[in-house]
Amino acid sequence: MPKQNAVERLKHVKQLLKIERDEDYRLYQELFLRVNLEQRKKNGVTWYPVKINSEELGSGDLLHLEIERTSQIDKPHQFSSGKNVSLFSNQNNENFEITGTIKSVSKNALKLIIHADELPDWCYDGKLGLNIQFDDNSYTEMQKALDEVIGAKNNRVAELREMIEGGLPISFEKIKEDVIIPQLNLSQNRAVRHVLSVRDIGVVHGPPGTGKTTSLVQAIRLTLQEENQVLVCAPTNSAVDLLTEKLVELGIDVLRMGHPARMAEELLSSSMDGKISSSPYYKDIKNLRRNAEEYFRMAGKYKRVFGKEEAQQRTAYYTEAKNCIKEARLLEDFIVDELFKTSQVICCTPVTSTHRGLQRKRFNTLFFDEASQALEPMVWIPLLKCKRLILCGDHFQLPPVVKSLEAKKAGLDRTILDKCIALKEAVVLLNRQYRMHSAIMGFSNAFFYNHELIADETVSTQVLVNDDSYLSKSIEFIDTAGCSFDEIQNPETLSHFNPEEGKLLFKHLQQLLEDYAPHDELPPLSIGIISPYKEQREWLKENLSHLELNKNKLESLSVKTIDGFQGEERDVIYISLVRSNDKHEIGFLNDLRRMNVAITRARKKLVVLGDSATIGSSHFYQLFLEYCEKNGMYRTAWEWA
């Protein structure tokens, strides 16, 4: 097959993106637009009725509400932080609504930031509900970026497009061998020196636990000695928050852009609103706003029937109020302009980089973290402003989310990182990991990383307890084959769960905490329970609350899907594989990159439960089973029955 040129390939990506957007909207319609209120509540996309428990004016003069649902309590829902929602009223068959962004969510309550400084009157009449909204903005921005890249001629964008495709060579400065950062290891220092030498495109390949973000922030710090300002992006708000936090710790002046609802509380001082409110001019802005309110109040005293003089007085008050607001806005714009000029790092998600204050700005370098999770058009959004690209991530960990099977099969999930990894001279590998026991690392190291990873001596032999019991084993595979632990499919969500496997996991967990508790000299444990299936996660969460556990030495216990544990680690990780059927169907478990994330979260002990007869049909799981058997880590469920 002849090699496709870059423009043709990107036109194809644009078509796939449209297919993905249509599929995403179709799924949204199924859950939302085509169904009545009761069904929407069942689908978890509407809360109704709700009550407002509190309201207060927060940063940026946006209204913060605390909202609680009063029916279908404890039913699962799809509300999550960062999502856009609308608060609506069902009063007298009239439709009122106001939009906002979710700050945080618990089972039956959430914090909402409304895009206004006061609530409309209808909000106080009861009959309120919340709907999740469809997010079209990211698709629009990706399409716009692709159009620009496809149309680029004789400029830097066109050069980068051809370099990523392999059609133009990439070049490097001479490596500065004298750059040595004492707190970094050999491969991390090599990565930093590599980044500093890149003229066009560079990749820092960071497998699990290798200190990818630590290396990246040091590379950013040193780059700032040559450049006044850099742009730093990542596809998720949590990844942007982590980068912001680490850069601030190094004393770097960071402007963390984005909606306040989508960033961590402790980073608000680095946000636009936080920096405006700590400006010496903020006092003047507040006074001007206060004066405007007072003038509006005075103008409001004049009723409709009044004479000419009163009308003039009222107009004068309104004019004064508007002048105060205008002056306050001008002052605010001045502060914002200064922030864009003087901040050393502008840190945001790709879509936020289209902010009007950044429209004309150009940067030398874009640092893009967690690049394995970003669709190619997503990376192009900020890259259009930059001359040089540094990607950071691991193409063997979480891929981007693609909802359309058709778009996925046609390659929409192939990222810029996947393409740039093929440019061998662009890539530097971080090869020393500081997270897990060498046996936990071993399988992943062989299957994905060509045996190139080394477990640092500080972690390579770490176990829960140094004795001859199962507590000293760093991996256990507990085989449920032949136990009739059959999977069950929820007909509504089509997700699978396996209660018997869940009960076995709980049995092991209870025993582990019981046997670990007497070791007074040892620290308490952080434990994570992972299942690739949402239905199993819900089952585990629900039934965990009724479980009697010895919590003497338990620091934390969390239950999540694999994506929820991305970037995290625990002392002990349990994985419930769920699938157990006669057809050897493993569905979601075929996503090997996700499984790589799951099996590399544990520091000291990994416990995997599954049916070898079902999963053994896959080459990957067959090799994993052999690895466990060969290293004495294989056990049967009967031992725990």
Side-chain angles (χ1 to χ4, degrees), residues 473-609:
K473 289 252 189 288
S474 52
I475 299 187
E476 285 180 73
F477 179 80
I478 301 176
D479 191 357
T480 64
C483 296
S484 300
F485 287 3
D486 297 338
E487 65 188 53
I488 302 168
Q489 187 176 33
N490 179 329
E492 275 183 24
T493 64
L494 302 182
S495 182
H496 294 81
F497 65 114
N498 193 324
E500 294 304 320
E501 186 175 286
K503 288 176 196 166
L504 182 64
L505 187 154
F506 286 159
K507 205 172 230 180
H508 191 287
L509 172 65
Q510 279 176 307
Q511 192 65 52
L512 181 133
L513 287 170
E514 207 58 56
D515 295 342
Y516 185 78
H519 294 272
D520 296 332
E521 75 289 1
L522 296 173
L525 297 176
S526 60
I527 297 178
I529 301 176
I530 298 178
S531 179
Y533 288 92
K534 282 184 180 162
E535 206 64 42
Q536 182 76 340
R537 178 197 63 189
E538 290 309 318
W539 187 93
L540 289 163
K541 271 176 136 172
E542 206 170 302
N543 289 279
L544 189 60
S545 53
H546 314 310
L547 206 62
E548 283 186 26
L549 295 172
N550 185 333
K551 293 182 180 171
N552 286 345
K553 306 282 279 187
L554 180 63
E555 180 193 281
S556 66
L557 177 60
S558 41
V559 184
K560 301 180 189 180
T561 58
I562 296 170
D563 295 40
F565 272 105
Q566 168 72 5
E568 296 189 14
E569 54 189 66
R570 299 288 187 271
D571 295 320
V572 182
I573 286 283
Y574 283 89
I575 303 175
S576 168
L577 295 178
V578 177
R579 300 311 296 264
S580 179
N581 57 68
D582 298 338
K583 297 176 186 161
H584 310 296
E585 283 175 358
I586 63 168
F588 209 45
L589 301 186
N590 263 320
D591 193 337
L592 305 187
R593 284 165 59 164
R594 275 196 162 73
M595 282 318 296
N596 184 35
V597 172
I599 61 180
T600 54
R601 300 302 100 196
R603 291 193 278 258
K604 300 175 181 177
K605 188 170 183 67
L606 172 68
V607 183
V608 183
L609 297 93

Side-chain angles (χ1 to χ4, degrees), residues 3 6 9-10 149 156-170 200-201 376 379-380 383 389 391 414-423:
K3 192 174 182 332
R9 188 184 66 77
L10 288 166
V149 182
R156 187 54 176 163
V157 173
E159 284 174 0
L160 287 168
R161 179 189 69 205
E162 299 309 320
M163 285 170 181
I164 288 165
E165 210 61 45
L168 271 181
I170 53 176
D200 308 301
I201 295 166
E376 178 173 2
V379 180
W380 276 114
L383 184 51
L389 171 65
L391 294 168
R414 185 146 194 253
T415 63
I416 279 193
L417 181 67
D418 293 329
K419 293 195 75 63
C420 292
I421 283 280
L423 310 171

Side-chain angles (χ1 to χ4, degrees), residues 95-109:
N95 281 330
F96 298 108
E97 63 173 23
I98 183 168
T99 59
T101 305
I102 298 174
K103 173 81 182 158
S104 60
V105 186
S106 60
K107 220 171 188 179
N108 293 306

Side-chain angles (χ1 to χ4, degrees), residues 24 68 158 208 281 389 566:
D24 199 1
E68 189 185 346
Y281 297 108
L389 171 65
Q566 168 72 5

Side-chain angles (χ1 to χ4, degrees), residues 4 72 87 129 144 162 288 329 336 358 410 449 501 524 527 538 547 549 577 617 623:
Q4 222 178 1
Q72 292 210 303
L87 179 66
K144 269 170 36 185
E162 299 309 320
L288 285 163
R329 283 213 181 108
V336 169
L358 288 177
Y449 303 108
E501 186 175 286
I527 297 178
E538 290 309 318
L547 206 62
L549 295 172
L577 295 178
S617 58
L623 289 176

Side-chain angles (χ1 to χ4, degrees), residues 4 35 189 208 258 309-310 386 409 436 448:
Q4 222 178 1
V35 294
N189 267 302
E309 276 179 26
E310 283 96 335
C386 306
K409 275 184 182 157
M436 56 202 128
F448 294 102

Side-chain angles (χ1 to χ4, degrees), residues 207-370:
T210 53
K212 170 176 65 69
T213 309
T214 304
S215 310
L216 189 65
V217 294
Q218 289 293 345
I220 293 169
R221 180 179 68 82
L222 291 180
T223 301
L224 286 166
Q225 294 177 1
E226 307 285 321
E227 300 170 23
N228 293 331
Q229 195 178 52
V230 298
L231 182 58
V232 175
C233 286
T236 63
N237 281 292
S238 54
V240 176
D241 282 345
L242 179 63
L243 285 164
T244 304
E245 191 185 323
K246 299 244 183 213
L247 288 164
V248 169
E249 278 169 16
L250 290 179
I252 291 166
D253 179 18
V254 184
L255 175 59
R256 160 67 164 109
M257 291 181 65
H259 195 291
R262 296 192 178 102
M263 56 185 86
E265 205 75 42
E266 57 276 15
L267 297 175
L268 287 175
S269 58
S270 296
S271 73
M272 185 85 80
D273 293 334
K275 286 186 180 264
I276 289 171
S277 58
S278 60
S279 157
Y281 297 108
Y282 186 59
K283 202 162 74 256
D284 302 330
I285 292 173
K286 277 186 90 164
N287 286 337
L288 285 163
R289 287 212 178 118
R290 207 174 288 127
N291 292 345
E293 273 175 30
E294 185 57 25
Y295 283 126
F296 274 131
R297 195 182 59 74
M298 280 153 49
K301 281 183 176 172
Y302 292 94
K303 299 287 175 257
R304 292 194 172 194
V305 184
F306 46 64
K308 191 177 171 188
E309 276 179 26
E310 283 96 335
Q312 284 171 339
Q313 188 61 57
R314 177 181 164 145
T315 305
Y317 283 142
Y318 270 132
T319 306
E320 282 301 325
K322 284 172 184 163
N323 286 341
C324 287
I325 286 171
K326 193 176 171 186
E327 220 172 306
R329 283 213 181 108
L330 284 171
L331 257 183
E332 206 164 276
D333 287 347
F334 169 74
I335 300 170
V336 169
D337 279 352
E338 281 303 297
L339 288 175
F340 281 131
K341 275 183 205 150
T342 58
S343 302
Q344 291 173 286
V345 173
I346 291 178
C347 211
C348 57
T349 58
V351 173
T352 309
S353 72
T354 60
H355 184 282
R356 63 186 171 83
L358 288 177
Q359 258 163 11
R360 289 194 181 85
K361 276 197 87 66
R362 292 296 171 263
F363 303 84
N364 194 50
T365 308
L366 167 65
F367 289 91
F368 201 107
D369 197 14
E370 301 294 3

